[in-house]
Amino acid sequence: MNRAFSRKKDKTWMHTPEALSKHYIPYNAKFLGSTEVEQPKGTEVVRDAVRKLKFARHIKKSEGQKIPKVELQISIYGVKILEPKTKEVQHNCQLHRISFCADDKTDKRIFTFICKDSESNKHLCYVFDSEKCAEEITLTIGQAFNLAYRKFLESGGKDVETRKQIAGLQKRIQDLETENTELKNRVQDLENQLRITQVSTSPAGSVPPKSPSTDIFDMIPFSPVSHQSSIPTPNGTQPPPIPSRSTEIKRDLFGAEPFDPFNCGAGDFPPDIQSKLDEMQRQRWRGSKWD
């Protein structure tokens, strides 16, 4: 039965008109989800929706998923469904789009309402689980309908049109904020890609050449394979080439030929030394002959 619209007129409502018209009434509940229904109202319609969502939640619970908690903000402008911690609006169900509201008599924790989606124009049934406030939430939505209807009669219908325009502007602002966030993320991705491209296309040999290492006296170490002719002198001229050594005549450090006592002529030594050298020469000749 539609409890939101069957409140007796001789009974007072639970909240003051100012609380719903100028502010909102908050409630905490678990959100089982929403599902499309074929009709905008009807007890059997919401029962089928509740049965369907309960089964889906039972499957997700067996997989370890918990039922998400939400905050409901009820006013004469509609019912907002928010994330409790971040206060992010997940669904904004405008009051003039809500066609049916009821709490489940077989399960005191369940309450539902049917709302026409502003984009797809489909009727969606929203199902909630509140352990203690299911009936109270349903009556609060009914009071919001009552106050909105009175305000409609007092304004001659202009107030409803104004609320529709405001709701449309709010929806447009929300879409623009979402689009702006997406554009910021896209720009950040492009900047990261550009930075990666610049690093990958830089030449591998762009490292500045290292100057030749020097020793403790600031001198370049000697290298036998280095060409000294390629190193310019301080005045800018090339040093003279190093003369190649002759393989025929071997000379010592001072440029003189190595000493050979057997090549020295007679008379260069005293007689006693010369006779010994001659004897050594004969022995050397005999040894080479026998060899």
Side-chain angles (χ1 to χ4, degrees), residues 223-249:
S223 176
V225 297
S226 62
H227 300 283
Q228 295 184 3
S229 59
S230 62
I231 303 176
T233 57
N235 58 5
T237 61
Q238 295 290 337
I242 299 175
S244 60
R245 296 183 179 182
S246 175
T247 57
E248 298 178 357
I249 302 175

Side-chain angles (χ1 to χ4, degrees), residues 17-25 73-80 91-98 115 140-141 143-149 151-152 158-168 170:
E18 291 77 12
L20 286 167
S21 60
K22 296 182 180 180
H23 303 284
Y24 59 84
I25 306 298
Q73 294 182 357
I74 303 173
S75 68
I76 62 173
Y77 302 105
V79 179
K80 288 184 179 180
H91 303 277
N92 186 11
C93 303
Q94 301 169 19
L95 200 67
H96 67 275
R97 292 184 174 273
I98 298 178
C115 180
T140 302
I141 295 177
Q143 184 180 0
F145 268 101
N146 183 274
L147 291 173
Y149 181 68
K151 201 167 185 179
F152 170 77
K158 295 180 180 180
D159 186 64
V160 174
E161 294 298 326
T162 303
R163 288 205 303 270
K164 288 182 179 180
Q165 293 177 2
I166 293 175
Q170 290 177 344

Side-chain angles (χ1 to χ4, degrees), residues 28-30 108-111 128-134 137:
N28 292 323
K30 294 181 179 180
K108 297 294 184 179
R109 303 183 307 175
I110 301 298
F111 70 94
F128 302 88
D129 183 343
S130 179
E131 186 175 353
K132 299 179 180 179
C133 304
I137 294 173

